[in-house]
Amino acid sequence: WGNNNSGALDFPENINDVIQAVAGIGFSAALKSDGTVEAWGDNNFGQTDTPIGLSDVVQISTYNYTVLALITDGTVVAWGNNSYGQADIPENLTNVIKVASGGNHSLVLKSDGTVEAWGLNNVGQTDVPIGLSDVIDISAGSNSSLAL
């Protein structure tokens, strides 16, 4: 419900078996039980162009126009807006257990309880505090990051 100017609420006819849904600005995406992702609505930044062959996804996140997908092997795939490097996955990033997409930055929680962040850092949103450990959950906002 809400604003549908860009088609974010025009669900594909055959969408079913959805286990997670996320809403970006003017678009929506759904994770299906078979580990695939469908996206629809505004596509100005390629945010609804789900990568070909993407599978084994266990979690998705979006905030603005970037989508993050966590794969069962602990790696991350990103697509959509990359104006600030928020879709540039750091080299050798593994053992991820949760993803969080912020305004123009990205955040991940790793299995060892540590956090990594990248993308726009104009107000310190990717400056993970030194010594931060034993984290069990994360969230990203427009210009902030949170760890529990």
Side-chain angles (χ1 to χ4, degrees):
W1 57 90
N3 185 341
N4 193 32
N5 289 345
S6 300
L9 304 177
D10 295 335
F11 297 91
E13 273 186 38
N14 62 348
I15 194 148
N16 53 33
D17 299 321
V18 173
I19 59 173
Q20 184 191 5
V22 296
I25 296 178
F27 80 102
S28 299
L31 172 59
K32 297 175 66 173
S33 62
D34 66 0
T36 61
V37 176
E38 290 193 41
W40 60 92
D42 179 28
N43 195 34
N44 287 340
F45 293 95
Q47 65 270 31
T48 64
D49 295 333
T50 304
I52 295 171
L54 181 68
S55 62
D56 299 323
V57 177
V58 294
Q59 188 226 333
I60 55 176
S61 180
T62 188
Y63 189 90
N64 279 344
Y65 306 103
T66 307
V67 182
L68 299 177
L70 174 60
I71 310 302
T72 55
D73 66 1
T75 60
V76 177
V77 175
W79 66 95
N81 187 14
N82 194 33
S83 299
Y84 298 97
Q86 66 269 38
D88 289 336
I89 308 301
E91 262 188 63
N92 303 316
L93 181 66
T94 59
N95 301 315
V96 175
I97 60 172
K98 183 164 187 185
V99 294
S101 182
N104 288 301
H105 71 289
S106 299
L107 192 66
V108 297
L109 173 59
K110 299 180 70 175
S111 61
D112 65 359
T114 61
V115 174
E116 288 193 39
W118 63 93
L120 182 64
N121 193 34
N122 62 322
V123 291
Q125 63 268 45
T126 64
D127 292 336
V128 177
I130 295 171
L132 181 66
S133 62
D134 299 322
V135 175
I136 60 170
D137 201 6
I138 56 171
S139 182
S142 178
N143 292 304
S144 59
S145 299
L146 298 174
L148 175 64

